[in-house]
């Protein structure tokens, strides 16, 4: 345990799996009290258990990031339990249909991806900032993707949603810098999580091809993303806002 976030309260959406779970644990290891939010109760509670088993302080809130009332209730529950909200990782997301060209894509899939990945982040920002503004401080990290920085084929809704998250991050940073609120995005390459497992489908050849697209020659780990999340949340990043920072083994340098 370290203490870079001692006395801070952090909220993590999509905290029931993958990058969200690992980041929630990393934030708690730095001393933050952590609220884990997800639609998946089992996954979210497992994250809380992992934190409390190591003497951390956390609780779970079931919330769907596409529903404004759920997002508001999640912030209210945080403030009621811990009295404040200092850091947030807006991370809940889905991959949507993959391997489908635009002309064959389903409208429902477009709506669902944009709803969760983009509107969900906007709703979180809206309610988090309303609270943070009253206190004149806060650090928010949005999970975008390398798909928010460069185009890609056969997953246009996902790429559009993540480009949107990067734009939203910059707008929020500009609007609320003077209120003491920093807003940044992390842009991971392909990271070993349940989402990546679904994308790779256990196909070793496909995994080797995707690993080779990263100049470091491998997929990333959730811990490598969590390191940047912790840093951005902490005062070590006190002059960093409006940035979209890659954690991608060199993917977007090509
Ligand atoms: P994951 O599938 O392991 O975890 C996503 C979590 O979000 C799940 O616990 C899920 O229940 C939750 N979630 C989904 N919809 C929700 C909703 N409407 N409300 C509340 N919670 C919801 O995925 P992973 O890989 O951990 O992804 C986390 C974020 O990182 C996503 O935004 C994803 O787009 C992004 N990302 C992932 C990459 C990867 O290769 N794994 C690469 C770049 C970005």
């Amino acid at each position: 345990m370290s203490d870079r976030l001692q006395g801070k309260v952090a909220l993590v959406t999509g905290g029931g799996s993958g990058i969200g779970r690992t980041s929630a644990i990393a934030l708690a290891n730095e001393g933050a009290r952590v609220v884990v939010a997800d639609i998946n109760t089992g996954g979210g509670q497992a994250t809380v258990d992992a934190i409390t088993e190591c003497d951390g302080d956390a609780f779970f809130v079931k919330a769907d990031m596409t529903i404004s009332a759920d997002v508001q209730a999640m912030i209210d529950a945080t403030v009621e339990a811990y009295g404040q909200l200092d850091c947030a990782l807006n991370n809940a997301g889905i991959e949507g249909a993959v391997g489908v060209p635009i002309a064959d894509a389903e409208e429902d899939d477009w709506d669902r991806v944009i709803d969760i990945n983009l509107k969900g982040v906007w709703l979180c920002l809206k309610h988090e900032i309303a609270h943070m503004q009253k206190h004149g401080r806060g650090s928010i990290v949005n999970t975008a993707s390398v798909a928010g920085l460069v185009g890609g084929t056969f997953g246009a809704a996902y790429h559009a949603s993540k480009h949107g998250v990067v734009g939203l991050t910059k707008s929020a940073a500009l609007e609320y810098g003077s209120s003491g609120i920093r807003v940044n995005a992390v842009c991971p390459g392909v990271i070993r999580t349940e989402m990546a497992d679904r994308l790779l489908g256990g196909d070793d050849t496909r995994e080797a091809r995707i690993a080779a697209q990263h100049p470091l020659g491998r997929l990333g780990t959730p811990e490598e993303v969590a390191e940047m999340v912790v840093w951005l949340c902490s005062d070590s990043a006190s002059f960093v806002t409006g940035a979209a920072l890659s954690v991608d083994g060199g993917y977007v340098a090509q």
Side-chain angles (χ1 to χ4, degrees):
M1 257 221 192
S2 173
D3 62 357
R4 276 187 290 174
L5 297 171
Q6 201 64 46
K8 307 268 192 200
V9 173
L11 166 69
V12 178
T13 77
S17 178
I19 292 169
R21 169 175 294 163
T22 305
S23 298
I25 293 169
L27 291 161
N29 283 341
E30 293 287 342
R33 289 173 286 169
V34 180
V35 179
V36 176
D38 206 293
I39 39 169
N40 175 354
T41 301
Q45 193 53 52
T47 303
V48 167
D49 292 346
I51 292 172
T52 53
E53 278 162 19
C54 296
D55 295 329
D57 191 342
F59 70 93
F60 173 69
V61 176
K62 182 167 185 173
D64 183 335
M65 298 312 137
T66 67
I67 300 173
S68 186
D70 275 22
V71 176
Q72 176 72 72
M74 168 183 84
I75 306 293
D76 290 347
T78 302
V79 175
E80 192 179 324
Y82 290 147
Q84 64 200 65
L85 173 65
D86 304 291
C87 318
L89 174 63
N90 300 323
N91 165 83
I94 59 168
E95 63 274 27
V98 286
V100 184
I102 290 169
D104 299 329
E106 299 289 342
E107 196 173 333
D108 282 354
D109 185 66
W110 170 270
D111 287 343
R112 186 89 186 119
V113 171
I114 298 296
D115 215 24
I116 296 175
N117 292 8
L118 184 53
K119 184 185 168 193
V121 172
W122 176 76
L123 279 173
C124 288
L125 284 169
K126 180 175 165 59
H127 293 291
E128 289 157 2
I129 288 169
H131 172 78
M132 288 176 174
Q133 253 189 313
K134 291 183 208 153
H135 300 272
R137 62 166 196 274
S139 175
I140 299 175
V141 181
N142 298 322
T143 307
S145 167
V146 292
L149 299 174
V150 295
T153 48
F154 312 132
Y158 186 79
H159 280 78
S161 72
K162 294 300 186 180
H163 272 72
V165 169
V166 171
L168 197 49
T169 299
K170 292 177 183 174
S171 292
L174 296 179
E175 288 182 17
Y176 295 100
S178 61
S179 302
I181 301 168
R182 296 186 293 105
V183 188
N184 293 288
V186 286
C187 299
V190 179
I191 305 297
R192 285 191 187 284
T193 66
E194 288 179 21
M195 182 182 285
D197 289 346
R198 291 191 295 272
L199 291 168
L200 297 170
D203 179 340
D204 290 345
T205 309
R206 185 164 155 73
E207 176 168 337
R209 196 175 68 245
I210 290 178
Q213 290 169 355
H214 298 70
L216 289 183
R218 62 174 175 85
L219 307 192
T221 67
E223 287 76 12
E224 289 171 316
V225 182
E227 281 287 339
M228 184 173 282
V229 170
V230 166
W231 180 73
L232 285 169
C233 284
S234 77
D235 291 340
S236 303
S238 52
F239 203 50
V240 182
T241 197
L245 299 174
S246 308
V247 190
D248 67 352
Y251 188 96
V252 299
Q254 300 169 94

